[in-house]
């Protein structure tokens, strides 16, 4: 039996990780700890909420006292840490909340693990989920590898870089058993419609302008969220202590080309004329500090642990668009209230 604390399990990636672990490992107790910020949504986990190996706790990772008590109450021996403020544009408007959650929150968890495990690290693991954005920006050529120097440019990536450094520092200083993975951009069901793909699917459906930053030439390396969850499962069980693994799909797209695929897919599934929604493309002011290109070399993960992405991009995009079309209620719920204010401030 293992008691595994998954933080941020009500968010986009976290909910896919929680579902995978709860369904596949009935012998594990999965404790999902989430503060339910604007990005956290228990609707994402409706299908597993009644399972006997699943517990949800609403708590803030920055609440050090509560985090310590959760480690002892649930006898936590494994942590998969996903809770974070995750959107670059929000970090530009409010960097403090990113430093608080991503840096201080991670530190609270590390120290709580250190306190509870008291130097007995047998069968213990602190697994920190991070991003490729810590490596900065690439030109036309090359890939990020596990040894690429950190060079973050946004408050989001700076806060994630800082949290990665704290995790490694706990390993080097106190021998805390850690592993870190840095993943490229994810897409799939349940992603909050502030990120490019769900925002644009929603806008195409509603005939709203598609705000393309700059010239739309920036490049991202897209990975289907369930492939990320499977990589996390493998690294959690087989990753080498103290090591870092890059996760990516070898799937680079210029934003504008990806947007045209989204338009084509939504138009097709809604029975609109091909390309009918291209008129919605609207070039807007570029994002400040906009990283040009991200591209991950995930060959270490493939060679050492045997992970590979399973889904072709066009297939993944079609499934994703289909999910958003079939889950109008979910979209309606998350885009009411606070989202309207965010959208106005950001885009109008
Ligand atoms: P998300 O914003 O969808 O979800 C974050 C979750 O964390 C939410 O459920 C939120 O309620 C929770 N949370 C936020 N602050 C909290 C706090 N103080 N205490 C407890 N819970 C809190 O994010 P995501 O896209 O699912 O990303 C999850 C993790 O993966 C993050 O660490 C992110 O940096 C990393 N990551 C994301 C991507 C991506 O493309 N989305 C890529 C690589 C890495
Ligand atoms: P995003 O989904 O925010 O992920 P990240 O910035 O973490 O890579 O953005 C993906 C790309 O899409 C990025 O180059 C910025 C661009 N983008 C737009 O052009 N318009 C938008 O409204 C958003 C949200 C993103």
């Amino acid at each position: 039996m293992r008691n595994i604390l998954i933080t941020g399990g009500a968010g986009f990636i976290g909910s896919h990780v929680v579902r995978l672990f709860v369904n596949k490992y009935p012998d594990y107790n999965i404790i999902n700890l989430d503060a339910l910020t604007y990005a956290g949504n228990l609707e994402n986990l409706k299908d597993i909420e009644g399972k006997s190996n699943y517990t949800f706790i609403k708590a803030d990772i920055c609440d050090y006292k509560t985090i310590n008590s959760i480690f002892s109450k649930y006898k936590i021996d494994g942590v998969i840490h996903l809770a974070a403020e995750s959107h670059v544009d929000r970090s530009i408007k409010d960097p403090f909340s990113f430093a608080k959650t991503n840096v201080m929150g991670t530190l609270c968890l590390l120290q709580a693990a250190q306190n509870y495990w008291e130097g007995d690290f047998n069968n213990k693991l602190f697994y920190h989920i991070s991003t490729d954005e810590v490596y900065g920006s690439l030109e036309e050529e090359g890939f990020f590898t596990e040894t690429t120097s950190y060079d973050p440019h946004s408050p989001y990536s700076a806060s994630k870089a800082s949290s990665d450094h704290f995790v490694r520092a706990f390993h080097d200083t106190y021998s805390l058993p850690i592993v870190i993975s840095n993943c490229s951009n994810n897409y799939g069901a349940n992603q909050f419609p502030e990120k490019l793909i769900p925002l644009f699917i929603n806008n195409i459906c509603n005939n709203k302008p598609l705000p393309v930053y700059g010239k739309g030439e920036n490049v991202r390396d897209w990975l289907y969220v369930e492939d990320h969850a499977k990589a996390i499962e493998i690294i959690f069980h087989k990753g080498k202590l103290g090591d870092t693994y890059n996760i990516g799909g070898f799937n680079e797209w210029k934003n504008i080309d990806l947007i045209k695929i989204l338009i084509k897919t939504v138009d097709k599934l809604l029975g609109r004329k091909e390309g009918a929604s291209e008129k919605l493309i609207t070039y807007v002011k570029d994002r400040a500090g906009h990283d040009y290109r991200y591209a991950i070399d995930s060959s270490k993960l493939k060679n050492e642990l045997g992970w590979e992405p399973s889904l072709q991009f066009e297939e993944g995009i079609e499934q994703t668009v289909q999910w958003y079309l079939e889950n109008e209620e979910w979209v309606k719920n998350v885009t009411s209230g606070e989202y309207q204010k965010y959208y106005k401030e950001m885009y109008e």
Side-chain angles (χ1 to χ4, degrees), residues 86-89 131-133 154 156 184-186 191 193-200 203 210-214 216-222 255-256 258-259 282 284-287 290-292 294 342-343 346-347:
S86 69
H87 190 40
V88 173
D89 292 327
T131 167
D132 61 352
E133 302 191 25
S154 72
Y156 164 64
S184 61
N185 289 62
N186 284 215
Q191 188 169 31
E194 62 186 353
K195 307 270 170 39
L196 178 75
I197 290 182
L199 177 79
F200 277 40
N203 283 14
L210 305 175
V212 181
Y213 297 159
E217 282 173 354
N218 302 64
V219 177
R220 296 293 182 264
D221 178 0
W222 293 94
N255 289 342
I256 192 65
L258 162 59
I259 289 161
T282 310
V284 299
K285 191 167 165 264
D286 207 354
R287 172 188 276 171
H290 197 173
D291 286 334
Y292 172 62
Y294 302 144
Y342 167 79
Y343 199 91
M346 206 41 231
Y347 296 108

Side-chain angles (χ1 to χ4, degrees), residues 57-169:
I57 300 169
K58 183 175 187 302
D60 187 330
I61 54 168
C62 301
D63 180 352
Y64 183 56
K65 203 168 150 223
T66 302
I67 297 299
N68 274 293
S69 69
I70 288 167
F71 267 81
S72 35
K73 180 169 178 198
Y74 293 95
K75 301 187 170 46
I76 300 301
D77 38 32
V79 177
I80 306 177
H81 173 37
L82 297 111
E85 289 294 338
S86 69
H87 190 40
V88 173
D89 292 327
R90 288 188 192 252
S91 82
I92 295 168
K93 288 198 181 301
D94 177 19
F96 281 99
S97 62
F98 282 69
K100 184 163 178 270
T101 292
N102 299 358
V103 185
M104 288 306 292
T106 301
L107 184 53
C108 282
L109 285 163
L110 286 164
Q111 187 61 55
Q114 169 78 3
N115 296 341
Y116 179 62
W117 294 339
E118 286 183 329
D120 175 8
F121 296 139
N122 196 23
N123 279 321
K124 307 287 194 295
L125 180 65
F126 190 106
Y127 179 5
H128 177 61
I129 307 299
S130 193
T131 167
D132 61 352
E133 302 191 25
V134 298
Y135 298 123
S137 181
L138 293 162
E139 301 292 329
E140 300 295 339
E141 300 288 315
F143 293 91
F144 297 134
T145 72
E146 287 80 0
T147 55
T148 302
S149 300
Y150 276 30
D151 183 23
H153 298 133
S154 72
Y156 164 64
S157 53
S159 68
K160 291 296 290 188
S162 173
S163 67
D164 293 10
H165 289 320
F166 268 105
V167 175
R168 287 198 187 95

Side-chain angles (χ1 to χ4, degrees), residues 189-299:
N190 302 102
Q191 188 169 31
F192 193 80
E194 62 186 353
K195 307 270 170 39
L196 178 75
I197 290 182
L199 177 79
F200 277 40
I201 293 174
N202 192 34
N203 283 14
I204 300 166
C205 289
N206 293 300
N207 282 307
K208 281 174 72 175
L210 305 175
V212 181
Y213 297 159
K215 294 184 174 144
E217 282 173 354
N218 302 64
V219 177
R220 296 293 182 264
D221 178 0
W222 293 94
L223 181 69
Y224 193 55
V225 64
E226 290 184 15
D227 279 328
H228 188 188
K230 282 182 203 144
I232 290 173
E233 179 200 2
I234 292 173
I235 294 166
F236 181 77
H237 290 104
K238 296 194 194 151
K240 196 165 149 247
L241 291 186
D243 260 24
T244 296
Y245 296 88
N246 279 358
I247 312 174
F250 286 111
N251 179 42
E252 291 179 51
W253 288 87
K254 265 193 197 309
N255 289 342
I256 192 65
D257 296 334
L258 162 59
I259 289 161
K260 287 184 178 160
I261 292 192
L262 287 177
I263 290 171
K264 197 169 154 203
T265 311
V266 177
D267 282 349
K268 182 180 92 179
L269 293 178
L270 287 180
R272 292 180 185 165
K273 215 173 112 221
E274 193 177 332
S277 302
E278 288 207 7
K279 61 178 185 301
L280 299 174
I281 291 175
T282 310
Y283 291 93
V284 299
K285 191 167 165 264
D286 207 354
R287 172 188 276 171
H290 197 173
D291 286 334
Y292 172 62
R293 173 172 167 257
Y294 302 144
I296 278 272
D297 177 350
S298 55
S299 46

